[in-house]
């Protein structure tokens, strides 16, 4: 089936927040303490209730002011408020629609248009573009230039750019691209056939995480297909208000995973949230709306999938004290909290210690830590204080973006803790078993 970006659409949601969604807020304030920006600033206008109030004002004719834009920009879209809200306010939908409205009215200058075109049109959806960027990053890191610059303190001269360097991912060669389009057989009896969506940036910066995911799935009786036609999920496009571009990517992924699969697996909570909302994104799309519903029914976070099947318990010990940071898009977006904890507690030798406020955002939030670096670092510093209190040597989470943010936190405000995804710890346990007893 041909993919077209100009498909006929029967019904299209208006760009701004729906009045019915705004009206669900009864102004009770029960969400305030779940909001990282309100916790940091103590300002009503930087709380969920305050932001909903401002969206309401705009929906009812008030002008869009720079203050309104600033309060919305400062929101992490972490959806912590959605979990705390007893009235079922769909805050994630509200902020996405409010940002799409701002984007539609924006008249960006030439430079902003070019930057946006390069990142969202050419880089994220393009394997070649990401591979080139990954190669440049790898050269910077492997040549020792990064180590030299960090040790010399020269990065402070670059101001904001220097701050951002601390958040750069490590390029992991070989990149994961060589596995795309391939099928990996189950180890032992085949119980499931799954499609794995490997992400976009993850293919260069999280190749080892993707390899670990494939290995853990295979050790649990999965034949793992990595569809060749997959592309970026569109989450970053949606967070930036580029809804139409996200729809094009959604159509490509729905087609790529149209085969006979028991599940479509992702190891990135942020991507998973978006993939599970493709039905909303493609609602009214004559050609893709039904396919999107079928696709959504199969999407599973890797922790959700593994916790829902009979887990292969042939694991060797991983002797470490570990704590778990909820990824917002897993805990608040997908309501998955127990699955990752259940998996960690199944690993022999691992001592699990819960941290306070584990489900408050770490400040990563897609590219928030790049765009709102100062607030992201403030939030991270408080997060690390809670983590340091557990004395855990390993911080586990379920989203690549959170791994980068927490690794920066461990380096800047922590005790040099190791940071890993849940499946990487499981992978370690399976490999420890294999080293001692061979495969089982
Ligand atoms: S999404 Fe997160 S940052 Fe934004 S208002 Fe809700 S809790 Fe606060
Ligand atoms: S979003 Fe929910 S919790 Fe927050 S003020 Fe409105 S109704 Fe209350």
């Amino acid at each position: 089936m041909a993919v077209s970006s100009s498909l006929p659409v029967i019904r299209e949601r208006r760009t701004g927040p729906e009045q019915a969604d705004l009206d669900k807020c009864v102004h009770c304030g029960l969400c305030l303490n779940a909001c990282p920006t309100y916790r940091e600033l103590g300002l009503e206008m930087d709380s969920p209730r305050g932001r909903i109030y401002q969206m309401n004002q705009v929906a009812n004719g008030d002008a869009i002011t720079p203050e309104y834009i600033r309060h919305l920009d400062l929101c992490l879209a972490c959806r912590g408020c959605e979990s705390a809200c007893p009235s079922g306010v769909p805050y994630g939908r509200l902020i996405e629609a409010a940002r799409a409205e701002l984007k539609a009215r924006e008249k960006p200058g030439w430079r902003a248009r070019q930057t946006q075109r390069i990142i969202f049109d050419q880089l994220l959806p393009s394997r070649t573009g990401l591979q080139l960027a990954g190669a440049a990053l790898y050269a910077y890191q492997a040549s020792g230039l990064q180590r030299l610059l960090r040790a010399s303190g020269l990065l402070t001269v670059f101001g904001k750019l220097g701050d951002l360097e601390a958040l750069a991912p490590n390029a992991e060669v070989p990149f994961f691209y060589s596995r795309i389009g391939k099928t990996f057989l189950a180890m032992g009896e085949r119980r499931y056939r799954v499609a794995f969506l490997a992400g976009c940036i993850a293919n260069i910066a999280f190749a080892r995480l993707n390899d670990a995911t494939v290995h853990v799935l295979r050790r649990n009786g999965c034949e793992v297909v990595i569809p060749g036609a997959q592309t970026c999920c569109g989450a970053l496009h949606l967070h930036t208000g580029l809804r139409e571009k996200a729809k094009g990517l959604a159509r490509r992924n729905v087609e790529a995973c149209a085969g006979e699969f028991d599940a479509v697996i992702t190891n990135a909570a942020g991507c998973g949230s978006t993939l599970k909302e493709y039905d909303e994104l493609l609602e009214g799309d004559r050609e893709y709306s039904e396919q999107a519903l079928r696709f959504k029914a199969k999407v599973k976070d890797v922790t959700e999938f593994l916790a829902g099947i009979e887990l292969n318990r042939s694991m060797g010990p991983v002797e470490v004290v570990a704590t778990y940071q909820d990824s917002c898009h897993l805990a608040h977006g997908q309501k998955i909290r127990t699955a990752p904890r259940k998996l960690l507690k199944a690993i022999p030798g691992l001592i699990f210690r819960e941290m306070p406020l584990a489900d408050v955002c770490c400040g990563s939030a897609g590219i928030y830590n790049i765009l709102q670096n100062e607030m992201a670092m403030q939030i991270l510093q408080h997060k690390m204080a809670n983590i340091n209190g557990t004395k855990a040597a390993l911080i586990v989470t379920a989203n690549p973006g959170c791994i980068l943010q927490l690794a920066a936190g461990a380096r800047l405000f922590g005790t040099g803790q190791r940071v890993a995804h849940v499946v990487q710890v499981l992978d370690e346990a399976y490999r420890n078993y294999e080293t001692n007893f061979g495969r089982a």
Side-chain angles (χ1 to χ4, degrees), residues 422-439:
V422 180
V423 283
Q424 286 177 302
V425 193
L426 280 172
D427 185 51
E428 202 175 322
Y430 286 128
R431 288 189 192 279
N432 287 348
Y433 183 92
E434 284 166 17
T435 304
N436 293 322
F437 306 106
R439 283 179 193 160

Side-chain angles (χ1 to χ4, degrees), residues 29-329:
L30 290 171
C31 54
L32 266 57
N33 279 322
C35 174
T37 55
Y38 181 77
R39 293 180 72 88
E40 294 299 329
L41 301 170
L43 297 173
E44 176 68 17
M45 289 304 148
D46 285 311
S47 78
R49 183 173 63 185
R51 291 188 176 110
I52 292 168
Y53 170 81
Q54 295 168 84
M55 289 178 205
N56 225 328
Q57 300 289 98
V58 168
N60 287 290
D62 273 18
I64 289 179
T65 61
E67 287 72 37
Y68 174 68
I69 297 173
R70 195 169 51 76
H71 293 305
L72 254 54
D73 280 350
L74 216 51
C75 171
L76 296 126
C78 66
R79 294 164 72 171
C81 48
E82 217 176 275
S83 292
C85 175
S87 303
V89 173
Y91 185 86
R93 198 155 72 201
L94 286 175
I95 185 75
E96 214 170 77
R99 284 182 174 161
E101 183 176 41
L102 292 182
K103 203 75 192 168
R105 295 186 187 199
E106 203 178 74
K107 299 215 177 354
W110 183 85
R111 188 180 292 189
R113 281 203 313 276
Q114 294 315 309
T115 309
Q116 185 172 300
R117 193 173 57 78
I118 290 169
I119 296 176
F120 293 102
D121 294 354
Q122 293 178 349
L123 195 60
L124 294 175
S126 155
R127 277 180 210 165
T128 315
L130 279 172
Q131 261 173 302
L132 286 173
L137 184 63
Y138 180 73
Y140 166 65
Q141 290 165 341
S143 65
L145 187 60
Q146 180 182 56
R147 216 175 32 251
L148 198 73
L149 283 176
R150 282 185 177 179
S152 69
L154 258 177
L155 284 168
T156 53
V157 174
F158 295 99
K160 206 168 167 53
L161 206 61
D163 294 343
L164 299 183
E165 199 278 343
L167 297 167
N170 284 327
E172 295 176 348
V173 286
F175 300 150
F176 193 75
Y177 291 110
S178 54
R179 280 69 130 189
I180 292 183
K182 292 190 177 156
T183 295
F184 294 85
L185 299 180
M187 290 172 169
E189 185 200 347
R190 186 183 106 165
R191 295 190 282 155
Y192 308 97
R193 185 168 186 265
V194 301
F196 174 48
L197 290 180
C200 51
I201 297 167
N203 287 305
I204 51 170
F206 290 96
R208 283 193 281 273
L209 165 59
N210 280 355
D211 277 334
T213 305
V214 173
H215 181 239
V216 169
L217 287 168
R218 295 177 72 203
R219 294 290 270 108
N220 280 279
C222 295
E223 179 178 303
V224 185
V225 179
I226 309 182
Q230 65 179 280
T231 185
C232 165
C233 69
L236 294 178
H237 298 75
L238 276 175
H239 296 166
T240 320
L242 300 167
R243 203 170 170 82
E244 288 309 311
K245 290 190 197 304
K247 286 182 186 181
L249 299 172
R251 291 181 189 113
R252 283 171 59 184
N253 281 326
V254 164
E255 280 212 341
C257 299
E260 287 296 311
F261 297 115
D262 296 301
V264 173
I265 305 281
T266 172
N267 60 17
C271 303
S273 269
T274 297
L275 295 168
K276 286 181 178 179
E277 287 169 4
Y278 272 7
D279 60 325
E280 269 187 43
L281 188 62
L282 296 177
E283 188 185 3
D285 184 312
R286 203 187 299 274
E287 195 169 351
Y288 285 90
S289 58
E290 280 188 19
Q291 282 190 63
L293 274 171
R294 285 196 293 277
F295 174 88
K296 174 210 172 111
K298 287 189 180 174
V299 175
K300 294 256 184 288
D301 182 80
V302 64
T303 62
E304 178 187 18
F305 178 79
L306 291 168
I309 64 172
E310 196 185 324
L311 191 70
N312 177 353
R313 301 269 172 173
S314 299
M315 302 178 203
V318 178
E319 309 278 358
V320 70
V321 178
T323 190
Y324 178 72
Q325 162 65 25
D326 283 286
S327 294
C328 296
H329 283 275

